[in-house]
Amino acid sequence: MTTTAQRARVSVVDRLRWEIRDALVITKRNLLKYIRVPTLLVFSTVQPVMFVLLFAFVFGGAIPLQGGLDYVDFLMPGIFIQTSLFGSTNTGVGLAEDMNKGLVDRFRSLPMSRSAVLAGRTVSDSARNLFVVTLMTIVGYIIGFNFQNGLLNAAFAIGLVLAFGYAFTWISATIGLAIKDVESVQAASFIWIFPLTFASSAFVPVESMTSWLQVFSRNNPITHAVNGARYLVLGEPWGAMSDVWITLVWTVALLAIFIPLAVSNYRKAV
Amino acid sequence: MSAPIISATGITKSFGDVHALTGVDLEVQAGTVYGLLGPNGAGKTTMVRVLTTLLKPDAGKATVAGYDVVTQAAQLRTTIGLAGQYAAVDEILTGRENLEMVGRLYHLSPGESRDRAEEILERFDLTHAAGRTVKTYSGGMRRRLDLAASLVGRPQVLFLDEPTTGLDPRSRLGLWEFIERLVEGGTTLLLTTQYLEEADRLADRIAVIDKGAVIAEGTSDELKGTIGGDVLELEIADPANLQLAIGAVEGMCCGEATVDELRNIVRVPVETAVGTITDAVRRLDTAGVKLVDIAIHRPTLDDVFLSLTGESVEDALPADDELVTANSRKRSRR
Ligand SMILES: Nc1ncnc2c1ncn2[C@@H]1O[C@H](COP(=O)(O)OP(=O)(O)OP(=O)(O)O)[C@@H](O)[C@H]1O
Ligand SMILES: [Mg+2]
């Protein structure tokens, strides 16, 4: 038996190792849920795939694009971002569920790292996002989508989508731990993510919006993220390298704000 | 006496204007079982949550295994196990996976976690269900798994919040036996309960807690002493015979009889033994008193409350003030 005193005196390196190990234990536990409840995976992926098809076929003919670009090519980067943001709301819901089932109490009474439950949750939700985005890409390819900027940029585009979504999982975690009620968390996430996403360049060019909305939309971080992804997928003029940088700055800034907030909410969770 | 393994002084905790704890002092010696006894809303769970670092006290100081609950929370957590009031197990995982996960989070190696899980599953009679997801478990099985999880880290101090609530009588007995064996192994245990019987059976010392404060503390015998032990209750057929009945049974044991004139009931403290009832019946028969009913009444939590606060347990629940006074006056008539 390891004595408690030994466990208490640990170096910084050990602590970091344990922090990662604890987070992986939690990640594994969260991902097991998708294996144990396959319907969850099916239905949570059906919706994004349906969105791809609906948007492509409903708006496809109605939205004229510069240079005659296929709408599906325009759509895919936008819908990647939208899916990744909507997917991030699962983080808050999952944490609220764990809290209501008393699991958070159990975790908090264990000598595990304080951030592992949150890190594990955000990482597993991002893993799920990766799965969904991959699936959507396949569906996109079936209906005529193409990465037009090489494989490397395609990988960067997916990376950008996931990184931006990852920042939002921490916002969602902060909200989930503050509100605690599963259904309220769900609703509370959508009332801001929904308008923010639709008032961006995700589905239609900003130029097609009414003028006051254009002002908002151009400064919307989601527009930058979509344009950044679009730049990596399609190249100019659908976005610019500056959009990629701005998106990364937003990502880092959001993480810097919401990781401490979420961890603090977790410590205080009752 | 050696330094207590759990010690708390002046712990207070409020949630808004609900004062859940209003200055709790506790001392628990290593290797003993300590019972926190109190009705709903007394503050038992809040106290356990403070001692297990889940909740910061507003004021006061507490240590467990020498570690301060606020400033040394991380070290403290390596020494404790907690099974909360509601089973905290993951429904998606199997019983075995739940325990292995907890083992890993106590920083045991994968191999150790597996062995430990197997060993504990065996001990809690869950091996047969270990491969099933917890969703398929009954309430009692969940409770057992939850307790099992609290032992994975071989805690020095174990906290069990109402461990037998929701268990059927057989499981409850099984759990009591298990807890007794556990404590023989040297684990210190703090448990909360609403049942005097449970505290009586398991705890070396008991603190009665009400409205956020400890209102009595001692061994089970000491506490029962304050409320007078077992009581013989006689329901008399003819109210005119009440005095006669008192005269007949008062000599039986150790205290004065009391009368409930409304219901023609005489109560007299007794030391229950074989023949107590027969003896009483014989005495009353000799005196010519006719009985409707006779029973030995063991002290319950309600009696402890009645004697300590002048309120019954139900009355102690948040209720209309006037109602409480009216009721307690009626209930405490002697
Ligand atoms: N998180 C909270 N927010 C607000 N009030 C709370 C909170 N936790 C506990 N309380 C209040 O504090 C008081 C004590 O609650 P506690 O859960 O400690 O009682 P208890 O003795 O465990 O009761 P029970 O036997 O019902 O479990 C109650 O009035 C309860 O409503
Ligand atoms: Mg409680």
Side-chain angles (χ1 to χ4, degrees), chain B residues 237-316:
Chain B
D238 183 357
N241 284 341
L242 277 174
Q243 287 310 317
L244 216 57
I246 293 172
V249 292
E250 206 150 45
M252 280 180 68
C253 169
C254 31
E256 278 178 33
T258 56
V259 183
D260 180 341
E261 285 171 17
L262 276 178
R263 296 193 290 154
N264 293 339
I265 284 180
V266 173
R267 292 195 182 85
V268 64
V270 289
E271 251 167 45
T272 307
V274 181
T276 304
I277 290 197
T278 331
D279 182 30
V281 171
R282 204 176 321 108
R283 282 160 178 265
L284 290 163
D285 204 32
T286 315
V289 178
K290 286 216 160 43
L291 280 177
V292 176
D293 195 9
I294 181 167
I296 286 179
H297 184 64
R298 313 213 133 190
T300 62
L301 177 57
D302 203 37
D303 299 320
V304 177
F305 261 79
L306 203 57
S307 87
L308 288 171
T309 66
E311 281 177 20
S312 73
V313 174
E314 301 102 76
D315 296 340

Side-chain angles (χ1 to χ4, degrees), chain B residues 101-112:
Chain B
M101 176 177 74
V102 172
R104 296 288 284 148
L105 295 174
Y106 269 109
H107 299 149
L108 305 179
S109 73
E112 281 176 299

Side-chain angles (χ1 to χ4, degrees), chain B residues 44-45 85 161-162:
Chain B
K44 304 182 296 292
T45 298
Q85 185 164 358
D161 195 358
E162 299 195 20

Side-chain angles (χ1 to χ4, degrees), chain B residues 209-228:
Chain B
I209 179 166
D210 181 36
K211 294 180 183 143
V214 174
I215 54 174
E217 208 261 0
T219 63
S220 156
D221 284 342
E222 285 166 2
L223 283 180
K224 278 199 218 147
T226 67
I227 55 170

Side-chain angles (χ1 to χ4, degrees), chain B residues 306 310 312 315 322-332:
Chain B
L306 203 57
S312 73
D315 296 340
E322 262 172 77
L323 205 71
V324 170
T325 9
N327 268 345
S328 52
R329 214 175 290 131
K330 195 166 70 205
R331 297 293 298 264
S332 55

Side-chain angles (χ1 to χ4, degrees), chain A residues 77-92:
Chain A
I79 215 160
F80 285 158
I81 292 284
Q82 176 258 325
T83 300
S84 160
L85 296 190
F86 280 26
S88 73
T89 60
N90 285 313
T91 300

